């Protein structure tokens, strides 16, 4: 696998003050779907059929979402989304929208990390990163993009816009 750390720097320079909306993780999680299945032993709830998840400004749209809760505290530990592709979006504190998509999303709430795999891409303000896997630390806005053997990480950076 090849790592592209230049993409991390590119996003940092492109949006230096853009951090994920800080109040998102303190908000309740709302989920709409065609069906849901609860497995009380594994503390997992599976939502299927045009699933829409919202937590603050975070939105995930997928064909299937699995929510895993901590058995003792009841807190949500992880949200996995599957789709063709599954979509992710979030507002940043400066009002910009960060958008991503992949066939698989794995959002780890305790570490505030989003791992996107299989044709992953993340974009903001016309800047775009594509790779087989993108790991995004939401709160600190740090990103690592990986490629498979037969693919490369692709990055598009827009020129800085002049303030009017």
């Amino acid at each position: 696998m090849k790592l592209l750390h230049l993409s991390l720097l590119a996003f940092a320079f492109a949006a230096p003050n853009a951090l994920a909306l800080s109040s998102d993780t303190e908000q309740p999680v709302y989920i709409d779907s065609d069906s849901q299945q609860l497995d009380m032993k594994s503390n997992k709830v599976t939502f299927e059929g045009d699933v829409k998840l919202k937590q603050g400004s975070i939105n995930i749209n997928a064909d299937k979402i699995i929510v895993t809760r901590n058995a003792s505290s009841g807190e949500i530990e992880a949200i996995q989304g599957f789709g063709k592709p599954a979509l992710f979006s979030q507002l940043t504190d400066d009002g910009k929208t960060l958008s991503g998509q992949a066939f698989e999303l794995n959002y780890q709430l305790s570490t505030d990390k989003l791992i996107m795999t299989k044709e992953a891409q993340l974009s903001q303000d016309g800047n775009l990163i594509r790779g087989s896997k993108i790991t995004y630390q939401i709160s600190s806005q740090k990103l690592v993009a990986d490629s498979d053997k037969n693919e490369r990480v692709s990055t598009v950076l827009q020129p800085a816009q002049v303030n009017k």
Side-chain angles (χ1 to χ4, degrees):
M1 282 192 171
K2 300 174 187 172
L3 297 176
L4 183 67
H5 296 282
L6 178 61
S7 297
L8 169 63
L9 294 172
F11 256 0
F13 290 129
N17 297 321
L19 295 175
L21 201 56
S22 54
S23 62
D24 281 341
T25 56
E26 300 165 8
Q27 303 298 316
V29 176
Y30 298 95
I31 304 171
D32 290 320
S33 65
D34 291 339
S35 68
Q36 89 173 32
Q37 301 167 0
L38 171 63
D39 182 343
M40 295 176 91
K41 286 186 179 184
S42 68
N43 290 302
K44 291 185 180 183
V45 183
T46 302
F47 301 88
E48 292 187 285
D50 191 25
V51 187
K52 297 183 185 332
L53 179 144
K54 182 164 180 59
Q55 182 185 29
S57 76
I58 296 171
N59 290 291
I60 297 175
N61 295 342
D63 298 327
K64 176 179 172 180
I65 288 181
I66 300 172
V67 176
T68 305
R69 298 181 74 113
N70 181 292
S72 57
S73 69
E75 291 184 19
I76 297 173
E77 291 180 337
I79 297 170
Q80 296 172 284
F82 304 90
K84 294 181 180 147
L87 306 174
F88 167 86
S89 68
Q90 182 177 30
L91 288 177
T92 59
D93 281 333
D94 63 357
K96 296 180 180 179
T97 300
L98 179 70
S99 300
Q101 69 179 42
F103 280 57
E104 295 180 15
L105 304 175
N106 187 345
Y107 178 27
Q108 300 292 321
L109 278 76
S110 60
T111 58
D112 201 28
K113 184 183 290 184
L114 176 67
I115 301 167
M116 302 182 293
T117 54
K118 298 182 182 173
E119 298 183 28
Q121 70 178 43
L122 194 61
S123 65
Q124 184 178 37
D125 288 342
N127 299 304
L128 175 68
I129 297 173
R130 285 190 186 119
S132 60
K133 178 180 177 184
I134 296 175
T135 303
Y136 178 58
Q137 187 68 44
I138 295 172
S139 57
S140 62
Q141 201 174 15
K142 292 185 179 179
L143 178 142
V144 175
D146 297 322
S147 64
D148 282 337
K149 295 179 210 173
N150 300 326
E151 296 178 12
R152 295 178 50 87
V153 173
S154 174
T155 303
V156 177
L157 299 174
Q158 297 297 322
Q161 296 184 6
V162 178
N163 292 333
K164 293 183 180 181

